[in-house]
Amino acid sequence: MIKQNWIGLALMIGVLGGCSSPPTVPEDQRIPQGEGDYRDVDDLVRASQAEDESVEVVAEESATELAEEDLTQGESLNKGELTPFEQAMGETYDPVIYFGYDQSQLDEASLATVQHFANILVDNPNERIKLIGHTDERGSQEYNLALGERRAQAVAEAFMLYGVSDERMEIISMGETEPAAEGQTEKAWALNRRVEIESNNESSND
Amino acid sequence: MKPTFRYCPSLLSFWFALMLSAIITPASADLTIEIDQSSDMAIPVAILPLAHDEGVVPSHRPSEIIAANLFRSGKFQALPERQLPARPQSIEEIDYGQWLAEGVDNLMMGRIDQEEDGTYTVEMRFVDLLRQEQVIGKRWRKVSETALRRVAHKMSDLIYQELTGKKGAFNTRIAYVTERRQGGKRLFSLEVSDSDGYGAQSILKSTDPIMSPAWSPDGKKLAYVTFENGRSEIALQYLDGSRRDIIASFKGINGAPAWSPDGQSLVFTNSREGSADLYRMHMATGKVERLTRHWAIETEAVWAPNGRSLYFNSDRRGQPQIFQLFLDTGETRRISFEGRYNSNPAISPDGRYLAMVHVKRGFHIAIKDMYKDELSIKTKTRLDESPTFSPNGEMILYAMNQGGRGKLAVVSVDNNVTQVLSVKEGEVRSPSWGPYLD
């Protein structure tokens, strides 16, 4: 799952070139969701349940994973086109914030993650982000759509606390429609209650 | 992760043309019915196979469709064909004592004939065996092969009304969303089928999620939530394929469409002011008016049958509960009190029963009897949602999960007989039961 988030971010960055160069990243280069990911899922859940220090350890591991992925997928990612901001975003912290059941509060570790990305944004005043809120599948779809938005808003408020203006953040909710992990288990649900932080250069490319 | 065409308006419109060309695609996967549980209370009836001349082989057997419909109601059970003591061809041939001995008080018999132009003439008689009297006699002419199922549903409706005094709702349609995977991609399809899951047609295919279809009261349009532009918006689509528009694309989320009983307005959820609130769109003018103002999440509105109030979900008390908003006065009152999570309300057409998602060691469908002020849990599975009443209020269709797959199920309001509807491949969600067809 960690991998998938990184690749998603990298893919998105690769695609942000705009309409003049149509997207060329083929489907089969995406990291598939599902059974094969459960080893990663286990790791992440253990990590997210552990103490604050170990969260950073996970982040470092994931950074290593990103480096490996970059080696294998470098060509399709147009790495040379990454801006300093985009490179910085992928360096130490996983750009995902996780939440408890029916919760939208950020814990200390999550605030540290937000602070990390907020600092990057403060240093790169032209960069924008998308905050994409998600929920697990339990309960009604429409309530979850609103809950995903509330989570993304909570993350946006934390970013504002660290000096990022709300005009630079686009809040989106996907509700329960885009699970990161499949299956009806506490593990999968814990991974699905999340807000993803994505680079958003859509408007600057228009 | 996201389809990349989102960033390119020209590609987007191309994709749209593709999607619209897919409207009214015949032969989507029908839902298949699994019998989950039968009722001891089901009253036996005799549904005789329609008599026909040799060589007449209709593709659908009306007697089987009728038997399945009656069974799904949870109230009746057709005698298995092999247990039928006789096959009288006319009223005169009925040996009443023979049937009463089987515990059967009612019998349907009929004929099906094929005309020279290939169409069928279908005739049914429904007999009250106790009174020894024909209570329904009806004939349909010029019935095409494909219309046979519809005639069988009409026959079921007539029988249901005769036996219960309530209008049958078998000749109705349902809408739902299917999801399957193909080569790592998710394919969503908004489908419309008969109430028994047959005759499914896809009216929209998309690689982005679709949810919350809502029937217009005239049964001609569906409003639903689409994520085709990367975030939630409400689309309005005519079922005949003539038109499709995005009608709500306001800042924030756009969701939970609900038609007023007169079809003149649509209540939906939007969060332009920060938190999710209820808004009302007047369909003739497109004018939008805000109905709730609260920092909490307010969503999932449904209209009371008289059009004077809305039931909705609000977590203003910390967790989702059902409230009622009176449109004339703006007054709000709390409706659900039992349990810490009640969401996704649906109201029966007579206003008596409020169905909702209720958490008690799992997410179940519960019904609150508004007259008696009693809550009863109707389902045993643990991830149930999206309850929707049949137009006669006798059954509830809902989404559930069985063996890791999303399926639909039907439960009767009077008892807990459940039947599961599933697609062969993939998952089904977001059911919505349409209005009477005529």
Side-chain angles (χ1 to χ4, degrees):
Chain A
M1 280 303 114
I2 297 175
K3 275 186 202 169
Q4 193 199 338
N5 286 320
W6 285 116
I7 295 306
L9 180 66
L11 276 181
M12 190 193 65
I13 289 164
V15 160
L16 287 175
C19 297
S20 53
S21 57
T24 53
V25 180
E27 284 299 327
D28 56 12
Q29 297 207 10
R30 299 180 183 182
I31 301 295
Q33 294 186 352
E35 303 289 326
D37 287 337
Y38 276 113
R39 194 179 53 81
D40 294 340
V41 169
D42 290 351
D43 292 345
L44 186 54
V45 166
R46 265 199 299 281
S48 65
Q49 288 167 346
E51 297 301 311
D52 286 354
E53 294 89 340
S54 62
V55 173
E56 294 195 19
V57 172
V58 169
E60 280 168 21
E61 281 169 2
S62 61
T64 313
E65 282 175 350
L66 176 71
E68 285 164 7
E69 292 299 332
D70 273 349
L71 286 178
T72 55
Q73 308 223 356
E75 288 189 350
S76 63
L77 294 179
N78 287 330
K79 201 177 171 205
E81 292 177 16
L82 295 187
T83 66
F85 167 73
E86 287 160 346
Q87 283 172 348
M89 264 191 87
E91 262 163 19
T92 44
Y93 282 76
D94 195 13
V96 187
I97 309 285
Y98 294 95
F99 294 86
Y101 167 69
D102 203 17
Q103 295 300 313
S104 55
Q105 284 91 40
L106 281 74
D107 59 16
E108 293 287 319
S110 302
L111 285 173
T113 303
V114 171
Q115 189 173 16
H116 169 76
F117 290 106
N119 289 342
I120 299 171
L121 285 165
V122 169
D123 291 344
N124 297 272
N126 292 325
E127 300 295 341
R128 304 165 61 84
I129 53 168
K130 269 186 198 177
L131 300 172
I132 307 172
H134 302 268
T135 69
D136 66 31
E137 65 181 335
R138 293 176 294 174
S140 48
Q141 291 178 304
E142 289 285 352
Y143 179 72
N144 283 339
L145 180 64
L147 183 58
E149 181 182 56
R150 180 188 277 167
R151 285 175 179 159
Q153 285 168 342
V155 174
E157 277 165 27
F159 267 102
M160 286 159 73
L161 201 68
Y162 296 117
V164 179
S165 118
D166 61 345
E167 286 151 20
R168 299 171 63 188
M169 297 180 280
E170 186 184 350
I171 288 169
I172 291 170
S173 176
M174 296 303 291
E176 64 179 69
T177 65
E178 282 194 345
E182 297 291 325
Q184 286 70 46
T185 62
E186 291 294 341
K187 279 181 187 178
W189 291 329
L191 283 167
N192 292 335
R193 296 189 297 264
R194 70 199 193 278
V195 170
E196 294 170 351
I197 305 165
E198 286 188 6
S199 168
N200 182 14
N201 290 339
E202 192 177 345
S203 48
S204 57
N205 275 304
D206 282 346
Chain B
M1 310 193 81
K2 309 282 343 162
T4 47
F5 55 75
R6 171 166 320 142
Y7 300 103
C8 304
S10 56
L11 278 177
L12 185 63
S13 48
F14 170 65
W15 174 248
F16 240 89
L18 269 183
M19 282 203 302
L20 287 171
S21 70
I23 287 172
I24 315 300
T25 310
S28 286
D30 287 335
L31 297 170
T32 55
I33 299 176
E34 305 159 22
I35 295 160
D36 199 48
Q37 187 192 351
S38 64
S39 169
D40 302 336
M41 308 291 285
I43 298 165
V45 287
I47 305 295
L48 271 53
L50 299 184
H52 58 78
D53 293 340
E54 220 170 297
V56 176
V57 192
S59 55
H60 305 282
R61 298 190 71 205
S63 59
E64 286 176 5
I65 297 167
I66 296 164
N69 282 342
L70 293 176
F71 186 82
R72 207 165 60 257
S73 76
K75 292 190 168 79
F76 306 102
Q77 190 150 22
L79 233 55
E81 262 187 50
R82 61 179 184 284
Q83 283 180 30
L84 295 172
R87 303 222 176 172
Q89 303 274 318
S90 66
I91 301 271
E92 293 73 35
E93 286 178 37
I94 297 174
D95 172 354
Y96 290 96
Q98 184 181 35
W99 293 93
L100 294 172
E102 294 288 325
V104 175
D105 295 347
N106 293 279
L107 176 148
M108 189 206 82
M109 58 195 294
R111 263 201 81 76
I112 181 163
D113 290 298
Q114 193 156 25
E115 306 304 329
E116 280 174 7
D117 62 359
T119 64
Y120 296 98
T121 298
V122 182
E123 192 183 288
M124 79 172 274
R125 294 171 196 281
F126 196 63
V127 182
D128 182 331
L129 296 165
L130 288 171
R131 285 189 283 154
Q132 306 198 357
E133 201 178 299
Q134 174 185 312
V135 287
I136 304 170
K138 191 113 177 154
R139 182 183 294 128
W140 288 268
R141 294 183 192 279
K142 300 269 175 206
V143 179
S144 68
E145 196 80 42
T146 50
L148 266 178
R149 292 200 74 90
R150 185 150 181 209
V151 166
H153 290 312
K154 288 185 171 184
M155 292 162 82
S156 309
D157 284 346
L158 289 170
I159 293 170
Y160 192 83
Q161 180 145 24
E162 175 60 31
L163 293 174
T164 66
K166 288 172 188 157
K167 197 170 173 181
F170 300 112
N171 183 31
T172 55
R173 290 181 296 175
I174 57 174
Y176 51 87
V177 176
T178 64
E179 176 189 347
R180 59 198 179 86
R181 281 167 195 275
Q182 203 172 54
K185 250 192 301 190
R186 297 193 299 165
L187 299 178
F188 295 87
S189 172
L190 176 58
E191 314 225 325
V192 171
S193 77
D194 295 346
S195 69
D196 59 356
Y198 284 90
Q201 291 202 322
S202 174
I203 66 157
L204 183 82
K205 292 171 192 275
S206 174
T207 52
D208 291 299
I210 305 165
M211 63 184 206
S212 307
W215 292 86
S216 62
D218 64 6
K220 291 181 174 154
K221 295 166 282 201
L222 280 175
Y224 55 87
V225 176
T226 170
F227 288 81
E228 67 203 37
N229 295 319
R231 63 192 200 92
S232 56
E233 297 171 316
I234 298 173
L236 174 61
Q237 184 171 333
Y238 286 71
L239 291 182
D240 63 8
S242 62
R243 223 181 143 164
R244 180 179 187 270
D245 299 295
I246 300 286
I247 57 166
S249 183
F250 303 104
K251 181 174 177 281
I253 59 170
N254 297 276
W259 293 90
S260 60
D262 63 5
Q264 301 293 305
S265 59
L266 187 82
V267 165
F268 65 103
T269 299
N270 177 237
S271 58
R272 67 180 76 173
E273 303 292 339
S275 72
D277 273 306
L278 303 181
Y279 290 80
R280 176 185 194 165
M281 180 182 289
H282 297 267
M283 299 311 284
T285 61
K287 210 185 96 205
V288 172
E289 144 197 27
R290 190 176 182 185
L291 297 179
T292 61
R293 291 168 191 276
H294 204 284
W295 55 264
I297 290 172
E298 323 254 69
T299 187
E300 298 174 341
V302 289
W303 289 77
N306 67 6
R308 307 296 288 270
S309 67
L310 301 170
Y311 296 96
F312 67 102
N313 170 11
S314 171
D315 66 357
R316 56 178 73 181
R317 302 289 175 91
Q319 291 210 306
Q321 294 292 348
I322 311 300
F323 290 78
Q324 184 177 17
L325 169 67
F326 293 89
L327 293 168
D328 298 335
T329 62
E331 245 178 295
T332 299
R333 68 164 176 153
R334 185 170 169 180
I335 298 293
S336 65
F337 291 93
E338 273 181 60
R340 286 164 57 79
Y341 187 110
N342 292 294
S343 72
N344 216 183
I347 187 81
S348 65
D350 62 2
R352 175 167 180 176
Y353 298 102
L354 187 82
M356 63 191 94
V357 174
H358 173 81
V359 173
K360 190 171 187 180
R361 290 187 294 278
F363 293 74
H364 305 292
I365 305 301
I367 294 183
K368 179 168 177 158
D369 182 332
M370 308 282 271
Y371 294 177
K372 294 184 182 166
D373 197 22
E374 281 172 3
L375 187 84
S376 57
I377 296 175
K378 302 296 293 180
T379 62
K380 295 195 183 92
T381 37
R382 301 173 73 90
L383 287 169
D384 307 331
E385 60 188 39
S386 305
T388 170
F389 279 92
S390 60
N392 63 358
E394 300 274 285
M395 290 188 269
I396 296 172
L397 178 68
Y398 61 97
M400 49 97 81
N401 190 293
Q402 194 181 49
R405 280 211 297 150
K407 299 179 179 184
L408 304 185
V410 181
V411 65
S412 53
V413 172
D414 289 355
N415 53 50
N416 290 342
V417 175
T418 306
Q419 285 190 64
V420 177
L421 303 152
S422 61
V423 279
K424 286 206 180 69
E425 208 192 324
E427 313 206 34
V428 209
R429 280 190 206 97
S430 285
S432 178
W433 206 317
Y436 288 118
L437 290 177
D438 42 33

